[in-house]
Amino acid sequence: MENVITYNNDKGLLAYIQFLASSALKFGDGNTDRVFDFEDALDQTEMAQLAVNELKKIPEVNTLFTERWLPAPFNLDDLGKLPEGTLGHVYAREMKARGFDPYFYKKVPVVDDISYLKMLWRSTHDIYHVVAGFDTNGIGEIGLQAFFLAQTPIPISVMLLSFGMVMISLYQPNNFKDLMTEISHGYKLGSQTTGKFIAQKWDQLWDVQVSEIRKRLGVNSIS
């Protein structure tokens, strides 16, 4: 029997409004729990299923969906012992320098394609910062979301882009031009990067030079 999803786009819109309201009072506090809760509320929107459908048309990504691949557990101290310039070494150095926990994200049971997609991007998100070259500050994060949106049109990236524009225009208007420049750069870079980030098994690339990974994926091909 075919599983029929009943989309609730009004629920998604309401969740976005609530997300804006709750985040406005704590803008820039670094708390990511609200982001993950908001993303969970978007599960039953039509866009979430459309994102999965489009991604599964890409053979390499469809393989990941079939395997339910997620990165193998790792330790930053171990990665930091890899040669300088490798993905593992650079990633460990950046995470430690910022005091970030690589397992900061909210875990959800993988029970279907949508929940798998969420865990896939949550568990690899910080690696994207290193390889794509975006800062981890507020503007850099929105720039990365623009990059990701150009490659992978998932609901949370759309919402975070709009959220960033609303919040910075209201609370940091002097930074709005910089934000739009970063969004433009991110979307263009994502559009012109031939290799899909979400298709990579990143834990098999820890010992590969970041420069080589960028070359393979065409990250530096922006013009």
Side-chain angles (χ1 to χ4, degrees):
M1 181 177 179
E2 183 180 358
N3 180 30
V4 179
I5 296 177
T6 300
Y7 299 115
N8 196 332
N9 296 322
D10 289 343
K11 180 181 177 181
L13 179 59
L14 179 60
Y16 179 62
I17 294 171
Q18 292 173 336
F19 176 63
L20 282 173
S22 65
S23 300
L25 298 177
K26 303 175 182 178
F27 182 52
D29 66 355
N31 188 335
T32 57
D33 290 345
R34 291 185 300 277
V35 175
F36 296 131
D37 291 342
F38 174 42
E39 184 184 26
D40 291 341
L42 299 174
D43 283 356
Q44 294 305 313
T45 60
E46 183 176 6
M47 186 178 184
Q49 187 61 48
L50 288 175
V52 166
N53 294 344
E54 287 301 308
L55 284 170
K56 292 179 74 172
K57 293 177 182 178
I58 304 169
E60 300 88 344
V61 181
N62 189 49
T63 297
L64 297 187
F65 273 95
T66 300
E67 297 176 356
R68 294 294 196 242
W69 172 87
L70 291 172
F74 59 84
N75 180 281
L76 290 181
D77 290 333
D78 293 336
L79 293 182
K81 296 175 184 177
L82 292 171
E84 286 194 25
T86 60
L87 175 61
H89 181 88
V90 176
Y91 175 80
R93 182 190 68 207
E94 295 299 314
M95 294 293 283
K96 286 186 173 183
R98 290 168 170 77
F100 287 172
D101 175 6
Y103 295 103
F104 74 100
Y105 49 87
K106 178 183 177 182
K107 317 302 190 294
V108 295
V110 176
V111 296
D112 54 21
D113 288 339
I114 290 177
S115 58
Y116 170 68
L117 177 57
K118 287 195 300 185
M119 284 303 297
L120 179 59
W121 93 265
R122 289 179 185 184
S123 61
T124 57
H125 169 266
D126 283 332
I127 300 174
Y128 294 178
H129 276 283
V130 172
V131 180
F134 288 89
D135 203 331
T136 55
N137 61 17
I139 289 179
E141 180 60 50
I142 299 303
L144 180 63
Q145 293 298 331
F147 174 93
F148 196 69
L149 179 60
Q151 287 219 323
T152 312
I154 63 174
I156 192 62
S157 290
V158 177
M159 299 303 182
L160 289 178
L161 272 172
S162 63
F163 169 76
M165 287 189 286
V166 169
M167 288 299 170
I168 287 186
S169 65
L170 289 176
Y171 295 97
Q172 300 176 11
N174 291 335
N175 293 330
F176 190 73
K177 183 177 180 180
D178 291 340
L179 173 69
M180 295 308 297
T181 298
E182 191 76 344
I183 290 174
S184 176
H185 167 71
Y187 195 84
K188 187 175 183 181
L189 183 63
S191 298
Q192 296 188 12
T193 295
T194 52
K196 296 291 186 183
F197 272 41
I198 203 164
Q200 310 307 311
K201 292 185 175 181
W202 295 103
D203 58 359
Q204 298 179 11
L205 300 173
W206 288 133
D207 60 351
V208 180
Q209 292 285 315
V210 173
S211 58
E212 174 60 24
I213 296 173
R214 288 173 175 163
K215 182 178 179 181
R216 290 182 191 178
L217 300 180
V219 177
N220 297 318
S221 63
I222 188 170
S223 58

